[in-house]
Every structure is written in C-alpha cells, then in structure tokens.
C-alpha cells in the first residue's frame, strides 16, 4: 500500500519568514495530494490540495508543489504569522483506492 | 463544520467493556471514514464505508467493527476495549468528486480506556 513520509516533524520560524514542509510518497499511481492544518484540540481542516495533472498551486500565502518523477510534494507558507502555528499533515491518494494515507505531521511554531 | 457531528465527544471507559462511537452527517455524502489519531502516527484509517451496508477495512482495523444502516450514520464499535485503543477518533466524509477524494473531518471523540 501507500506510504507517506513527512519532514520535518517540528519546525520553528520567525514571524514573517517562510516555512517549507516536505512529503514523499511511494505509490506512483497516487494522483491527489491534500494538506490539512490542525490547531490544538481541533479537527484537521483541508487548506489546499493538488492533483497530479498540475505542478504547482497557490492560494494567497500558501502554495503546494508536486514533483511526480521524484514522488514528492511540498507545502510552502510565506510571510508566516502566529496564527499559522499548528500541526500540518500531508496525505496521498489514488482515486480508485478511495483512501487517504497521511504523513505523521509537522508541528509548525511561528515565533513573534 | 456543522455538517458532521460525533458523539460522545469524550468518554472514559474500562478495559473489556464495549464502546460505540457515532458519526452523523447532514451532507448526504456517500463515503464515510473512521480514523484514529495518536502522537507520532498522524491519522490512521480504521474502517470506511462507500454506501449503506458497504464497508471495508483500513490500515488498523483489528479490534474494531463498523456499521452503516443509514446514509447519515456511521458507527464504530470496540467490542472489548483495551488500553491501546485510548486515542482521539475522527470521522470524515467525502463525496469523492470525480476521481479525487476530498475529505472533511468531524470534531473528534477523545476516548480513554483505563
């Protein structure tokens, strides 16, 4: 089955700096890659996703890139703010499987 | 967020007792999922459903069973709870637009097995 590895497990940045979280996946048939943000004690919230027919997607301060050849994808957050502090999870899925396989999460802390 | 609810939100139980968690949706989505979340493991799929009475196992299904008798309800049962099942349990729903699998999560249930 699919295996998703996520790095780093913890990340601290100064407010205003950029943050990058990276994930690799094992199943070359995977075609959907969402990112979730989870604040302490809350549910995971979908923040952005990318599909295998594109290489990059942006939404305001967040962006995701996908390299299908290397089987990795990354989340980029620019101009970080304290409210960006949370745990971020990547995931991968192929349509026929109907399942998401999640990475182990990255605790992002934005220091004021 | 209002489209998915879970009950109970918190439960403390003893080893060996049966426990049932409920997920309820008002979105009429076809797919429903149960995950457990533990430190260092992210979210791991327990069971999922692709329609009424249609269910399948996920990555960590041992010790759990599920049932779906109505589109809106998906029940997770621990037949005989063990301390290793202490966790936060999340339900998710998906309509699976096209061939993609956008999932949206419920608020979670924190279960403690003593």
């Amino acid at each position: 089955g699919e295996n998703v590895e996520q790095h780093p497990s913890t990340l601290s940045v100064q407010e205003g700096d950029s943050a990058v979280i990276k994930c690799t996946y094992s199943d070359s048939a995977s075609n959907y890659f969402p990112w979730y943000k989870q604040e302490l004690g809350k549910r995971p919230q979908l923040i952005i996703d990318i599909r295998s027919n594109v290489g990059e997607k942006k939404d305001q301060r967040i962006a995701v890139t996908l390299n299908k050849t290397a089987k990795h994808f990354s989340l980029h957050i620019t101009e970080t703010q304290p409210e960006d502090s949370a745990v971020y999870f990547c995931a991968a899925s192929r349509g026929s499987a109907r399942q998401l396989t999640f990475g182990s999460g990255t605790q992002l802390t934005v220091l004021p | 967020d209002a489209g998915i609810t879970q009950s109970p939100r918190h439960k403390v139980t003893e080893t060996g007792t049966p426990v049932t968690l409920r997920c309820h949706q008002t979105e009429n989505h076809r797919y429903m999922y149960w995950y457990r979340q533990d430190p260092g493991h992210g979210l791991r799929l327990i069971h999922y459903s692709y329609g009424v009475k249609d269910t399948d196992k996920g990555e960590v299904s041992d010790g759990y069973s599920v049932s779906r008798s109505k589109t809106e309800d998906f029940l997770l049962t621990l037949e005989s709870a063990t301390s290793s099942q202490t966790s936060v349990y999340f339900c998710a729903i998906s309509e699976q637009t096209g061939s993609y699998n956008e999932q949206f999560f419920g608020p979670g249930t924190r279960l403690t097995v003593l």
Side-chain angles (χ1 to χ4, degrees):
Chain A
E2 176 69 278
N3 182 53
V4 177
E5 295 190 355
Q6 183 171 347
H7 299 281
S9 57
T10 61
L11 178 62
S12 294
V13 299
Q14 291 294 136
E15 182 176 357
D17 286 350
S18 295
V20 181
I21 302 169
K22 299 181 179 181
C23 290
T24 60
Y25 61 98
S26 61
D27 187 348
S28 57
S30 288
N31 60 357
Y32 175 63
F33 307 92
W35 286 89
Y36 287 82
K37 174 183 180 183
Q38 187 178 29
E39 297 175 346
L40 188 63
K42 303 294 179 118
R43 73 187 79 192
Q45 298 267 18
L46 179 67
I47 57 172
I48 194 168
D49 57 21
I50 191 166
R51 299 165 188 190
S52 59
N53 56 346
V54 298
E56 183 176 4
K57 183 178 178 180
K58 291 183 179 180
D59 183 3
Q60 300 183 337
R61 296 187 297 107
I62 61 174
V64 58
T65 59
L66 172 65
N67 183 325
K68 289 190 295 181
T69 302
K71 291 192 285 187
H72 66 71
F73 56 111
S74 300
L75 178 71
H76 305 253
I77 306 174
T78 60
E79 301 174 13
T80 53
Q81 301 168 3
E83 52 264 39
D84 294 329
S85 295
V87 178
Y88 291 81
F89 292 97
C90 64
S93 169
R94 53 186 172 90
S96 62
R98 308 183 186 123
Q99 300 178 33
L100 286 175
T101 300
F102 285 84
S104 54
T106 297
Q107 173 69 62
L108 173 65
T109 303
V110 180
L111 304 169
Chain B
D1 288 359
I4 315 168
T5 57
Q6 292 184 230
S7 59
R9 295 293 314 279
H10 302 270
K11 185 170 183 66
V12 179
T13 191
E14 294 187 349
T15 297
T17 60
V19 176
T20 295
L21 308 182
R22 179 184 184 231
C23 177
H24 179 77
Q25 60 144 331
T26 58
E27 306 296 324
N28 201 35
H29 281 4
R30 178 181 176 188
Y31 298 94
M32 300 185 75
Y33 307 81
W34 277 107
Y35 292 89
R36 60 178 290 173
Q37 184 174 37
D38 305 289
H41 289 279
L43 291 143
R44 292 181 292 175
L45 182 66
I46 305 171
H47 282 280
Y48 69 99
S49 169
Y50 46 97
V52 173
K53 299 191 187 303
D54 293 323
T55 65
D56 206 349
K57 296 179 180 179
E59 175 189 358
V60 290
S61 60
D62 287 350
Y64 302 94
S65 62
V66 290
S67 66
R68 191 169 178 199
S69 59
K70 298 184 290 184
T71 298
E72 58 265 37
D73 289 327
F74 192 31
L75 303 180
L76 177 71
T77 297
L78 291 65
E79 299 289 349
S80 178
T82 67
S83 58
S84 65
Q85 294 176 311
T86 292
S87 188
V88 179
Y89 291 86
F90 285 99
C91 172
I93 64 174
S94 172
E95 189 53 42
Q96 194 160 351
T97 304
S99 61
Y100 303 106
N101 194 3
E102 298 172 341
Q103 294 186 19
F104 301 94
F105 286 83
T109 294
R110 183 173 294 277
L111 176 66
T112 302
V113 183
L114 302 175

